[in-house]
Amino acid sequence: MNSGADRASGELRVALRTGIARLEQCNIPSAPLAAELLLMHVLRRDRAWLYAHPEYELSSEEAGAYSHFVERRRKGVPTQYLTGRQEFWGLEIEVGPGVLIPRPETEHVIEVALERLGRRRAQSLRIADVGTGSGCIAIALARELPHADIVATDTSAVALEYARRNAARHEVSGRIQFFETHLLDSCLELSGRPRRPFDLIVSNPPYVGRKDAVDLPREIREHEPAEALFAGDQGLDIYPALVDEAAQALCPNGILVVEIGYNLAEHARSLLAAPRWSDLMVTRDLAGIERVISAKFAP
Ligand SMILES: C[S@@+](CC[C@H](N)C(=O)[O-])C[C@H]1O[C@@H](n2cnc3c(N)ncnc32)[C@H](O)[C@@H]1O
């Protein structure tokens, strides 16, 4: 028979309090939120249910699973890799080891793309998403633009597996073609131009400098895929080739929208110079950091 103390430790509110304390002992950021998300994941319940049932008794399996997840989070595994999901643009995106966790600031890529398309949004469009990762950008655009056909590329076979599953989950598989390739290589024909050029190219490429790796939080440095993060020593290795290939693949007046790293706006501006590019725009994120650069291809 359980002692009083054992029974108390099986109560949801106690489990939550203990989970938070264990995470805080290891300086895990946003410990209360992480503890809640892990408990919601174990119990397959939402936050409202958690707070409506503080006296719920966890079964020994549930308590064991929760303790295991808290322990892994203490060791630095990102919460999203434990729960297997991250919300992006209001969509639940499946993630796990081998694929970048979508970031809230990347939603600015979607906002800028939609804003720059303007009335063209209602037309049939051809779009490319370079470095699709989990597929979050391609899928959000496919949901927003029902007449768009999208090509999504990545060099990572693992990431593309997630992207394909996410596209199926959000019922846009029929309008997204995935290619395991470098940048837009599979889309550029031998002539150096795609058969049908793109109206819009979007990308959140790797842009962290290897020299800055030590400054990254442990969750990112030790768990997220290096090929999704780093672009050479300074973080500048992808942008020139990306802009060059975009210029070959966009139609006249086609739009390029690219996420940029902290302090990289000047470098990106220099690549998107007139007369090849026009209507250059830099958008700041909610923290005031220059986050997205966009321009019109004007051949
Ligand atoms: C910063 S992540 C972005 C993932 C996703 N688009 C997002 O916003 O969450 C960059 C992605 O580009 C991929 N990648 C890296 N180098 C690439 C290249 N040369 N060509 C295509 N994809 C590349 C990585 O595998 C990774 O999935």
Side-chain angles (χ1 to χ4, degrees):
M1 201 167 124
N2 281 342
S3 70
D6 282 341
R7 274 201 302 280
S9 71
E11 244 183 36
L12 186 153
R13 74 173 125 210
V14 176
L16 193 54
R17 214 181 302 136
T18 311
I20 294 170
R22 285 175 64 200
L23 294 175
E24 282 176 345
Q25 274 167 7
C26 292
N27 298 320
I28 298 299
S30 311
L33 178 64
E36 262 178 30
L37 289 169
L38 294 177
L39 195 52
M40 284 157 59
H41 176 62
V42 166
L43 300 179
R44 295 169 198 233
R45 302 284 190 175
D46 61 17
R47 182 171 286 109
W49 189 93
L50 236 55
Y51 285 95
H53 299 84
E55 286 162 17
Y56 172 79
E57 287 283 329
L58 272 70
S59 70
S60 58
E61 288 79 18
E62 288 167 341
Y66 183 55
S67 182
H68 168 75
F69 283 132
V70 168
E71 197 47 41
R72 292 193 60 203
R73 184 68 194 90
R74 276 161 60 94
K75 295 198 165 117
V77 180
T79 305
Q80 295 91 331
Y81 282 176
L82 297 171
T83 61
R85 67 193 67 176
Q86 169 65 34
E87 193 183 298
F88 181 84
W89 201 254
L91 304 165
E92 190 176 282
I93 300 292
E94 182 196 335
V95 293
V99 70
L100 191 94
I101 300 164
R103 306 296 204 266
E105 56 268 27
T106 300
E107 294 187 355
H108 291 299
V109 170
I110 311 292
E111 281 166 10
V112 172
L114 296 176
E115 189 187 315
R116 295 206 62 148
L117 283 171
R119 282 188 300 185
R120 278 198 270 173
R121 286 163 68 161
Q123 298 168 9
S124 124
L125 293 168
R126 219 166 110 71
I127 298 174
D129 173 23
V130 181
T132 198
S134 62
C136 58
I137 297 176
I139 293 164
L141 287 174
R143 302 275 307 188
E144 291 289 335
L145 303 165
H147 305 297
D149 281 313
I150 301 179
V151 163
T153 74
D154 207 292
T155 42
S156 160
V158 176
L160 286 167
E161 289 285 304
Y162 282 98
R164 285 194 185 92
R165 278 202 298 280
N166 282 319
R169 170 193 285 238
H170 294 293
E171 302 178 336
V172 289
S173 296
R175 289 191 290 117
I176 307 182
Q177 265 185 296
F178 293 99
F179 289 102
E180 186 181 335
T181 193
H182 170 76
L183 300 178
L184 285 163
D185 279 3
S186 298
C187 314
L188 297 167
E189 305 291 315
L190 289 177
S191 65
R193 288 199 65 78
R195 214 174 303 129
R196 245 189 86 203
F198 296 105
D199 303 283
L200 169 69
I201 296 177
V202 287
S203 183
N204 173 19
Y207 55 66
V208 181
R210 292 254 174 208
K211 68 174 178 37
D212 298 323
V214 286
D215 299 327
L216 291 174
R218 175 167 69 134
E219 284 78 3
I220 302 176
R221 195 181 59 241
E222 291 179 7
H223 295 277
E224 294 202 76
E227 66 270 29
L229 300 172
F230 302 114
D233 200 45
Q234 309 290 324
L236 304 176
D237 281 12
I238 290 268
Y239 289 125
L242 174 62
V243 169
D244 205 48
E245 291 201 11
Q248 296 170 61
L250 278 170
C251 62
N253 297 321
I255 296 158
L256 176 64
V257 181
V258 180
E259 182 165 325
I260 47 178
Y262 180 70
N263 271 348
L264 297 184
E266 267 327 298
H267 170 70
R269 272 193 190 94
S270 71
L271 297 171
L272 293 167
R276 215 179 194 192
W277 298 94
S278 71
D279 296 2
L280 188 77
M281 198 169 104
V282 176
T283 307
R284 291 177 188 270
D285 63 19
L286 298 178
I289 297 168
E290 294 182 312
R291 182 60 65 190
V292 176
I293 194 159
S294 57
K296 190 157 82 176
F297 179 55

